[in-house]
Amino acid sequence: MLHIVKKDVPKNREKIVVRLSAVLAALAVASIIVLVAGANPIELYIGIFQGCFGSVYRFSATIEKMVPLLVLSLGVMVAFKMRFWNIGAEGQFQMGAVGTTLVVRLLPDLPLPIMLVLMIVASFAFGAVWLMIPAFFKARFGTNETLFTLMLNYIALTLVTALQYDFWKDPAANGMPKIANLPENALLPSVSGFNLSILMAVVIILAMYYFTNRSKIGFEIAVLGESENTARYIGINVTKTIIIAALVSGGLCGIVGMMQTTGVSGALSTEITGGLGFTAIIVAWLSGLKVPFVVVNSFAFAVLLQGASYIQTAFQIPGSVAEMIQAIILFFILGSEFVLQYRFVSDKTKSEVA
Amino acid sequence: MEFVFFLAAAVKAGTCLLYATLGEIISEKVGHLNLGVEGMMQMGAVVGFIAGFTFGNPYAAVLCAAIAGAAGALIYGFLTISLKANQVVTGLTLSIFGVGFAAFFGKNFVGKKVPEAITTFFAPIKLPVLGDIPYIGQIFFNQSIYVYFSYFLVIAIYIYLYKTKWGLNTRMVGENPVAADASGIPVDKYKYFNIALCGALCGLGGAFLSLVYISIYPVNVVSGRGWIAVALVIFAMWNPGKALLGAYFFGALDIASFWLQQYTLPVSIYLFTALPYLATVFVLIFTSMRKSSNKKEPAWLGKNYFKEDR
């Protein structure tokens, strides 16, 4: 009889080999769908790469897609470290964008630097509050945060819908349900296609690396994630730690709302998140909750996203094909984790170990 | 009388939610939080429609929809049960997959009509005696056979979960797989069976939309209702009977904004759509404040079981 046992921590090299084989296997399976869609899979996969690296413009588009995903994943990661399943990044993202727009609506004539600072603060606060509500109930009553944060996504989405179709509807848009574009003095400055949010992302990466690996609170969050009893025993204030982690996690996701409104879309809308909040959960999880891997994996996903939008126009392939390819790759990577964490042994070797 | 029509419409709108919710209850009872409901409904909706359109046979359509949903669920099941993948992440991925799947395979059917053989088969039938009860008959017993089948399922699933040995074992696996395993229950088999059942029911929920609820196939027929079903499971506190009431309540909210357009209201009509989620949040908070365990989520919900950890 074969048994499954847990393995030692896998080496980085083994991880890379297994992940890459998973991606290749996934692409092989996805080829069937590509063939059904009437395209040549090899050409299509090459097309994905060309769409990401083929020109400076395309590369900047890849980076533009990477930045929000990266910051969202880092935000989600902080909560996950505590075993607090924040799947509400979508909602915190939306709320951050609401906070940003609110600043502009209240104080439309501020000079750009002050405007930017205020928008960052507001988006952080809105995102943070959106996660601190479930965090408070988790800390106080043990309320299930997975389901709570999931619900808050849709509450945020309805709020934005109401703003877009009712309260903040642009009267100048000829009845179109849209919120007015932000004025010049509220847009992120950009240099040759790369906007300021890249700089913000770099600062956030460094800050989060320090926060999770070097700071006291980062350590406390990790301990609390391992065992609440241990945390209490060594004198960590559990409620306070949960609230701070939620503040950072939700706040970071909120800031993405500001980056996207002011740097990419130019206005708040119900479509602003594009499902990135959910993708970020997957990225954070696959990165083993480690900052450097989050950076690498966000880039890999950005390649997929940018490649997907490129092949839609270049190959006349519907976006749904790209969605399915993405999901198939994820299925394979999720499944390949098993190879990294467990191994098969026969009964004989097992009894020797015991 | 107008209000009776509204309630009858609410029952119809809630039926797709009811199927999916019953499915997700079963999955969560066995300890698996499957956030792929939206994806499985999408798969059921599109496969059900294509089968119905191709064969013109309601039985074939419904059967194919259930198989499609179950197939989606088995991808999730294989990854989370056998390969111990994270349930939340796998479920979300299944939703992405299902949405893409439905958009891709449904593309050529957008704008097509449901065949007449199927529309006639699923047309409202007034039940004898029951249908003549004032108000109640009009609301509940002048509906499609698809709706009647969901009444039957509520009772059947209640009996399955609470009155049979299999149901008891299922719940034990969800509450404490270690003890279940020790007492000789084949944990993985129970998980696979119940997860597949969940997928089939979600598929049926999706197909209700594409075969009964609409008459012309739209671009996105499920459009987020799967997430409402996830909410409903909590709202119903994992109880099939309450799921029925909850589904009609959420169904009413679903059509309320359209129905309320004729009145002038002091609040934005768009905020109404938030009510199901707000209600769910309150239920979550209240159930966690109250410590009674039979109204809470199963103890091992979301956690995978690894035999050798025992």
Side-chain angles (χ1 to χ4, degrees):
Chain A
M1 260 288 281
L2 282 174
H3 282 267
I4 311 166
V5 295
K6 275 208 170 113
K7 280 207 302 208
D8 301 333
V9 183
K11 293 191 182 66
N12 280 343
R13 216 180 101 192
E14 191 189 353
K15 273 189 194 167
I16 292 167
V17 171
V18 169
R19 293 255 166 89
L20 280 181
S21 337
V23 173
L24 287 177
L27 289 179
V29 171
S31 300
I32 302 167
I33 291 164
V34 177
L35 286 171
V36 174
N40 178 336
I42 311 269
E43 278 176 21
L44 189 87
Y45 298 149
I46 294 170
I48 290 181
F49 263 83
Q50 284 171 340
C52 298
F53 306 102
S55 68
V56 178
Y57 170 76
R58 289 180 199 159
F59 186 68
S60 77
T62 311
I63 298 296
E64 192 177 82
K65 291 204 163 57
M66 174 189 176
V67 166
L69 187 58
L70 168 69
V71 179
L72 286 168
S73 307
L74 289 173
V76 168
M77 181 198 76
V78 175
F80 279 15
K81 280 224 179 253
M82 201 171 59
R83 303 265 162 94
F84 181 96
W85 302 112
N86 170 20
I87 56 172
E90 283 278 308
Q92 291 138 30
F93 183 162
Q94 293 268 13
M95 291 311 286
V98 170
T100 308
T101 314
L102 186 67
V103 168
V104 182
R105 293 185 73 91
L106 292 177
L107 307 159
D109 300 317
L110 291 175
L112 180 68
I114 302 175
M115 182 72 102
L116 287 181
V117 172
L118 275 185
M119 288 193 297
I120 291 173
V121 173
S123 60
F124 188 92
F126 270 63
V129 167
W130 213 239
L131 185 56
M132 277 158 71
I133 300 167
F136 167 78
F137 284 101
K138 169 81 174 180
R140 184 79 179 74
F141 304 112
T143 311
N144 185 316
E145 77 283 6
T146 315
L147 303 166
F148 202 145
T149 51
L150 180 70
M151 294 307 117
L152 285 178
N153 285 340
Y154 297 100
I155 296 174
L157 181 65
T158 347
L159 184 68
V160 175
T161 313
L163 290 175
Q164 185 176 337
Y165 285 75
D166 242 347
F167 303 113
W168 289 359
K169 189 170 153 183
D170 185 4
N174 297 326
M176 277 275 287
K178 86 176 281 300
I179 295 169
N181 284 336
L182 297 181
E184 281 288 314
N185 59 329
L187 295 178
L188 270 185
S190 69
V191 183
S192 62
F194 295 90
N195 73 40
L196 198 68
S197 62
I198 297 173
L199 198 66
M200 290 170 67
V202 173
V203 174
I204 290 171
I205 294 170
L206 297 176
M208 290 317 292
Y209 187 79
Y210 175 82
F211 181 83
T212 48
N213 297 311
R214 299 272 186 276
S215 74
K216 178 161 168 277
I217 180 76
F219 170 74
E220 289 177 343
I221 289 172
V223 172
L224 185 55
E226 284 304 316
S227 155
E228 193 176 324
N229 286 336
T230 313
R232 284 187 202 283
Y233 187 71
I234 62 170
I236 292 172
N237 182 337
V238 172
T239 309
K240 194 181 124 201
T241 312
I242 292 180
I243 298 291
I244 291 178
L247 180 92
V248 176
S249 176
L252 281 182
C253 298
I255 283 186
V256 179
M258 178 265 174
M259 290 172 163
Q260 291 303 94
T261 334
T262 61
V264 180
S265 70
L268 171 66
S269 81
T270 50
E271 255 114 66
I272 195 166
T273 62
L276 284 181
F278 286 127
T279 314
I281 293 163
I282 299 169
V283 171
W285 178 254
L286 292 178
S287 308
L289 311 184
K290 294 204 166 54
V291 177
F293 291 110
V294 170
V295 178
V296 174
N297 284 337
S298 316
F299 183 71
F301 268 83
V303 167
L304 260 177
L305 293 174
Q306 166 59 20
S309 69
Y310 173 78
I311 57 171
Q312 277 180 55
T313 43
F315 288 73
Q316 301 295 316
I317 290 270
S320 50
V321 172
E323 254 173 19
M324 269 194 288
I325 297 178
Q326 189 193 344
I328 291 170
I329 293 177
L330 287 172
F331 281 143
F332 272 83
I333 294 180
L334 285 167
S336 73
E337 289 293 292
F338 180 81
V339 185
L340 291 172
Q341 288 179 6
Y342 302 93
R343 65 196 167 92
F344 290 99
V345 290
S346 69
D347 264 351
K348 203 173 148 214
T349 44
K350 201 190 169 201
S351 56
E352 275 166 14
V353 173
Chain B
M1 203 57 213
E2 196 194 359
F3 193 60
V4 172
F5 284 131
F6 172 73
L7 290 179
V11 168
K12 198 177 172 190
T15 298
C16 71
L17 299 175
L18 180 57
Y19 276 97
T21 306
L22 288 172
E24 183 69 7
I25 286 177
I26 294 173
S27 178
E28 292 193 14
K29 276 287 177 194
V30 83
H32 278 248
L33 175 66
N34 187 347
L35 294 182
V37 177
E38 174 76 13
M40 296 183 290
M41 285 178 82
Q42 295 259 11
M43 290 168 78
V46 71
V47 172
F49 186 88
I50 294 173
F53 190 83
T54 317
F55 305 124
N57 179 325
Y59 297 102
V62 169
L63 185 69
C64 291
I67 292 173
L74 284 175
I75 301 176
Y76 166 90
F78 178 66
L79 288 169
T80 55
I81 302 168
S82 294
L83 299 184
K84 326 266 178 234
N86 180 289
Q87 293 182 12
V88 169
V89 179
T90 312
L92 289 176
T93 309
L94 178 58
S95 277
I96 296 175
F97 179 78
V99 173
F101 181 93
F104 178 64
F105 289 102
K107 182 176 52 121
N108 294 333
F109 293 89
V110 174
K112 296 265 196 313
K113 270 190 77 152
V114 182
E116 205 161 310
I118 292 178
T119 334
T120 340
F121 185 81
F122 290 127
I125 303 164
K126 192 173 160 193
L127 289 190
V129 188
L130 287 172
D132 291 326
I133 307 171
Y135 305 117
I136 304 277
Q138 202 35 251
I139 296 166
F140 293 103
F141 301 111
N142 190 4
Q143 296 279 7
S144 163
I145 188 172
Y146 216 125
V147 178
Y148 296 139
F149 186 64
S150 69
Y151 301 161
F152 163 76
L153 275 179
V154 171
I155 299 165
I157 288 170
Y158 178 82
I159 292 172
Y160 165 64
L161 283 176
Y162 294 98
K163 304 287 172 201
T164 66
K165 200 184 104 198
W166 307 307
L168 177 71
N169 289 350
T170 295
R171 287 183 292 131
M172 191 168 172
V173 170
E175 290 294 340
N176 190 343
V178 182
D181 197 7
S183 63
I185 297 170
V187 173
D188 285 3
K189 271 184 202 152
Y190 270 91
K191 288 188 165 193
Y192 268 111
F193 175 74
N194 286 294
I195 285 172
L197 194 57
C198 159
L201 288 170
C202 290
L204 288 179
F208 175 79
L209 288 169
S210 64
L211 296 170
V212 185
Y213 199 65
I214 50 108
S215 52
I216 290 169
Y217 193 78
V219 176
N220 185 347
V221 66
V222 181
S223 61
R225 287 189 178 85
W227 300 106
I228 298 190
V230 174
L232 245 169
V233 174
I234 311 151
F235 186 78
M237 297 172 196
W238 295 268
N239 177 318
K242 284 181 189 155
L244 178 110
L245 297 177
Y248 299 153
F249 174 55
F250 282 28
L253 291 174
D254 190 18
I255 57 172
S257 45
F258 179 74
W259 194 69
L260 286 170
Q261 270 167 11
Q262 50 186 313
Y263 306 97
T264 31
L265 292 171
V267 288
S268 170
I269 226 159
Y270 300 101
L271 290 175
F272 268 89
T273 22
L275 281 177
Y277 306 112
L278 272 175
T280 305
V281 163
F282 284 115
V283 170
L284 258 182
I285 294 171
F286 286 125
T287 50
S288 64
M289 284 164 79
R290 210 172 33 188
K291 294 289 178 236
S292 66
S293 66
N294 65 336
K295 294 200 170 82
K296 277 179 107 164
E297 71 261 22
W300 275 68
L301 184 64
K303 285 185 265 183
N304 288 332
Y305 172 57
F306 179 50
K307 197 172 181 160
E308 315 284 326
D309 273 349
R310 214 167 72 197

